[in-house]
Amino acid sequence: MEEMKNKVVLITGASTGIGEGLAYAFARKGGSLSLCGRNVENLKKVEEKCVSEGAAKTIQVVADVTKVDDMERMVDETVAKLGQVDVLINNAGYGCKGGIENGTLEEFDEVFSVNLKAPYYLMQRCLPHLKKTKGCVINLSSCYANMFVPEAVHYSMTKVGLDHLTKCAAIELGKYGIRVNNVNPGLVVTEMV
């Protein structure tokens, strides 16, 4: 139960789906959780369940990973209220249907902003804190990184990029004792799917 005692886990996209499930798993291990997401009502429900599951401490940070100010606030509030960051989980994700023929640049920008730019920037922003704790980063990628699905070209490209970012970050940050890994889940039934 106390495996994560004295550890702080920041989870993006914690209000639903995989992020919600991860929050409960870390709560059961006794971690302190920074639950970040856009849905205020869902975050409140997730926080309540995390407390009942055994989380040491919890905070909600209502934030949008497409906004730099929100990402900065996420990290700042986590450190101010919970003291540190031991684990960063870049879970927030977005996908839309579209390929080369019918996709738009607006969709491209939105998907890349959530799925690739946000993990990159949050790793940068958390780096000083992860150095102190010799923490870790977990990026939620997708099996789509290794599949060729024309109607999901934007999403697939971001997941290939996230896999590469993870490998580069693991090599670069390993010298600080920081581990960086990703998970490539298959289809998981969530509100997004």
Side-chain angles (χ1 to χ4, degrees):
M1 177 64 181
E2 297 186 353
E3 188 176 325
M4 292 297 294
K5 189 176 179 184
N6 302 320
K7 303 285 186 189
V8 174
V9 184
L10 187 161
I11 306 172
T12 66
S15 59
T16 59
I18 293 173
E20 179 182 357
L22 289 168
Y24 301 148
F26 280 101
R28 286 190 291 273
K29 299 292 184 184
S32 292
L33 306 174
S34 176
L35 305 167
C36 306
R38 294 178 300 170
N39 188 312
V40 179
E41 287 180 22
N42 283 5
L43 277 178
K44 183 176 169 56
K45 290 175 191 171
V46 171
E47 182 179 36
E48 288 170 359
K49 185 166 180 185
C50 284
V51 169
S52 71
E53 292 281 342
K57 296 178 188 172
T58 59
I59 63 166
Q60 298 173 43
V61 183
V62 179
D64 183 339
V65 296
T66 65
K67 298 175 181 169
V68 171
D69 290 348
D70 279 16
M71 288 190 284
E72 291 173 352
R73 185 171 46 78
M74 243 186 251
V75 177
D76 293 346
E77 280 189 36
T78 300
V79 173
K81 294 177 180 176
L82 299 176
Q84 62 200 43
V85 177
D86 295 276
V87 182
L88 166 63
I89 301 180
N90 285 309
N91 168 69
Y94 176 70
C96 62
K97 193 171 183 178
I100 294 168
E101 186 175 7
N102 60 0
T104 68
L105 283 178
E106 291 77 20
E107 292 166 338
F108 179 97
D109 287 343
E110 189 170 7
V111 175
F112 269 77
S113 182
V114 174
N115 295 355
L116 198 52
K117 180 180 174 184
Y120 171 82
Y121 187 64
L122 283 168
M123 278 194 283
Q124 273 190 335
R125 189 74 181 177
C126 286
L127 186 56
H129 310 292
L130 294 169
K131 283 181 179 180
K132 290 177 189 173
T133 61
K134 296 197 182 313
C136 69
V137 178
I138 302 168
N139 293 322
L140 267 289
S141 185
S142 169
C143 64
Y144 271 50
N146 299 306
M147 296 171 67
F148 308 101
V149 184
E151 286 300 310
V153 70
H154 302 134
Y155 181 80
S156 297
M157 285 191 299
T158 63
K159 296 307 182 176
V160 169
L162 186 58
D163 286 2
H164 194 76
L165 171 62
T166 300
K167 292 171 186 172
C168 291
I171 292 168
E172 182 179 344
L173 304 182
K175 64 188 173 198
Y176 303 116
I178 299 169
R179 290 172 293 116
V180 184
N181 290 287
N182 72 330
V183 180
N184 294 71
L187 183 66
V188 177
V189 179
T190 66
E191 288 182 20
M192 186 173 119
V193 177

